[in-house]
Amino acid sequence: MKALRSTVWVVGLMLLPEMSAIAQPGIQAITVETGANGAQSYSLTLQALILMTVLTLLPAVLLLMTSFTRIIIVLAILRQALGTTQTPSNQILLGLALFLTFFVMAPVTDEIYISAVQPYIAGDVSAKEALTVASEPVREFMLAQTRESDLGLYLDISGKGQIDQVDLIPYSILLPSFVTSELKTAFQIGFLLFIPFLIIDLVVASVLMSMGMMMLSPLIISLPFKLMLFVMVDGWALILGTLASSFFVA
């Protein structure tokens, strides 16, 4: 709950510049104009339009700047490797990935809450200064998970060349580099997960072929063995624990 509360404060802090712009005197979200015939027309101001645009993009930005991408991809590949189709369901996988993301990002959100949110609430710093301070823990987290090759790729594409100080890397470069690295890592973990279940499928298919049972699907026979293997090795604790620890040791 502490990590969730910190995350809510961080999201609110990111929206402060837009909210403060709307709250300025003389700037209204909706303006009312009275025509010559007494009819009234309503129009949204540019600030309200920008705020609504930011709100629509905020979930995607937050999910791609956290550990959510790696976790959900690994869980989806695990379900495919087990061959259980819709078990666990998409809602369960999304909920599991979301709360595991809260656990992984708890140190980052706690640091943001202490260094940026609390001083802003106390009135010691402005919204712009608090946002600058809050962005540093997020930058450190993303840089720790980003490969140098991916950073170099997007730096070359953008024409910026090499940047000596990581603090000077803009988010426009860091964000796609981080997402690319997370996709690579997720598929590497998924490949390792797939191997033992693939071996079981091959063994079962070979046995059925040798017995002449061509019409029987190997997936039906191999599914109980894969589930038994997964339960015997305490698969859920092993997978989720490895996923969580992979962010701290990087």
Side-chain angles (χ1 to χ4, degrees):
M1 292 301 295
K2 183 178 179 181
L4 180 59
R5 182 187 62 182
S6 302
T7 304
V8 173
W9 274 108
V10 171
V11 173
L13 184 62
M14 295 180 66
L15 292 176
L16 281 176
E18 289 78 10
M19 295 175 64
S20 60
I22 293 178
Q24 292 177 358
I27 300 179
Q28 300 176 356
I30 300 178
T31 58
V32 182
E33 297 179 357
T34 303
N37 57 354
Q40 293 181 340
S41 60
Y42 300 88
S43 62
L44 290 174
T45 61
L46 181 61
Q47 288 82 4
L49 181 61
I50 294 175
L51 176 60
M52 289 187 293
T53 303
V54 171
L55 287 176
T56 58
L57 297 177
L58 187 60
V61 172
L62 290 179
L63 292 180
L64 293 179
M65 294 174 63
T66 62
S67 58
F68 183 84
T69 301
R70 182 191 304 185
I71 295 172
I72 191 61
I73 290 177
V74 171
L75 293 179
I77 294 177
L78 173 63
R79 184 177 65 179
Q80 184 70 23
L82 286 172
T84 53
T85 60
Q86 296 300 319
T87 303
S89 63
N90 293 331
Q91 292 82 356
I92 294 177
L93 288 185
L94 288 172
L96 182 59
L98 185 61
F99 282 100
L100 190 59
T101 300
F102 288 153
F103 172 77
V104 172
M105 299 301 296
V108 178
T109 55
D110 289 343
E111 183 178 354
I112 293 175
Y113 183 77
I114 295 173
S115 61
V117 176
Q118 287 184 345
Y120 175 76
I121 295 176
D124 298 333
V125 296
S126 63
K128 184 177 181 181
E129 293 173 344
L131 185 60
T132 302
V133 174
S135 64
E136 291 305 318
V138 179
R139 176 187 294 273
E140 293 177 1
F141 171 81
M142 295 174 66
L143 284 172
Q145 312 300 326
T146 304
R147 293 178 172 85
E148 294 183 1
S149 59
D150 295 326
L151 276 175
L153 171 64
Y154 288 99
L155 286 173
D156 293 338
I157 293 175
S158 63
K160 296 182 180 298
Q162 296 295 328
I163 298 180
D164 297 332
Q165 298 181 3
V166 294
D167 295 338
L168 300 178
I169 299 177
Y171 271 97
S172 59
I173 302 296
L174 180 58
L175 182 56
S177 303
F178 172 74
V179 174
T180 303
S181 296
E182 287 296 282
L183 291 174
K184 288 182 180 179
T185 304
F187 277 92
Q188 289 175 353
I189 298 175
F191 171 76
L192 297 177
L193 286 177
F194 228 106
I195 291 178
F197 301 111
L198 181 61
I199 293 175
I200 294 177
D201 287 333
L202 291 175
V203 171
V204 171
S206 300
V207 172
L208 293 178
M209 288 286 291
S210 63
M211 297 176 62
M213 304 175 68
M214 307 290 186
M215 304 302 295
L216 184 60
S217 174
L219 295 178
I220 299 177
I221 306 300
S222 62
L223 179 58
F225 293 98
K226 290 190 288 188
L227 292 178
M228 180 181 65
L229 173 64
F230 193 69
V231 172
M232 288 179 59
V233 299
D234 198 7
W236 285 115
L238 185 62
I239 297 300
L240 298 180
T242 303
L243 276 175
S245 62
S246 65
F247 293 95
F248 294 99
V249 299

